[in-house]
Amino acid sequence: MTQDTQSTGDTLLRLAAVIDSRKGGDPDVSYVSRLFHKGDDAVLKKIGEEATEVVLAAKDVRLGAERKALVSETADLWFHCLVMLSHFDLSPADVIAELARREGLSGLEEKALRKSREREQNGD
């Protein structure tokens, strides 16, 4: 792992630990605790809002806007994805493991494997 990759992973893990520590916290003093307290719909609504903001920022970059807004909106989306993972008792390590599993597969191969597994599970 390169220094850059290692520090990126470390940052995500540290942030995930802070988010996890907010479970059961006081919703009046912690934004993350408030999201957890509000439940699935609030957590998932934030993912949708942030994803939309990322798409809009990316479109603005295509139109000549500064890239800084896209980076900022992506950070917001990643943060809220970490909140969602924690809410469902998952972690960045779960996502990294899935990405590692897919590494070296073409997107088309991965999609075909997924469809094959779904057919097997459904008895088709």
Side-chain angles (χ1 to χ4, degrees):
M1 196 179 277
T2 66
Q3 179 60 31
D4 184 48
T5 305
Q6 186 175 10
S7 64
T8 300
D10 292 346
T11 300
L12 288 174
L13 292 176
R14 284 192 311 273
L15 184 53
V18 170
I19 290 168
D20 285 344
S21 76
R22 300 298 196 262
K23 285 184 174 181
D26 185 349
D28 291 330
V29 297
S30 167
Y31 169 74
V32 172
S33 294
R34 187 175 311 139
L35 281 176
F36 285 142
H37 182 74
K38 288 181 178 181
D40 292 0
D41 287 345
V43 171
L44 298 175
K45 181 179 176 187
K46 284 306 293 181
I47 298 293
E49 289 172 8
E50 298 302 338
T52 299
E53 290 173 10
V54 166
V55 170
L56 294 174
K59 286 186 157 289
D60 288 346
V61 167
R62 277 284 177 226
L63 297 174
E66 286 193 40
R67 296 171 180 264
K68 187 175 181 179
L70 178 55
V71 170
S72 178
E73 294 300 345
T74 301
D76 290 346
L77 176 60
W78 285 17
F79 174 82
H80 286 90
C81 285
L82 290 172
V83 171
M84 176 191 62
L85 288 170
S86 177
H87 181 69
F88 291 107
D89 297 320
L90 295 165
S91 75
D94 296 306
V95 177
I96 298 299
E98 177 61 14
L99 289 171
R101 184 192 66 77
R102 295 180 187 185
E103 190 173 13
L105 285 177
S106 80
L108 296 175
E109 288 173 321
E110 195 279 329
K111 187 174 182 179
L113 286 171
R114 209 174 340 133
K115 284 187 176 187
S116 175
R117 274 188 248 122
E118 288 172 6
R119 281 193 299 270
E120 287 173 9
Q121 290 174 350
N122 293 330
D124 293 344

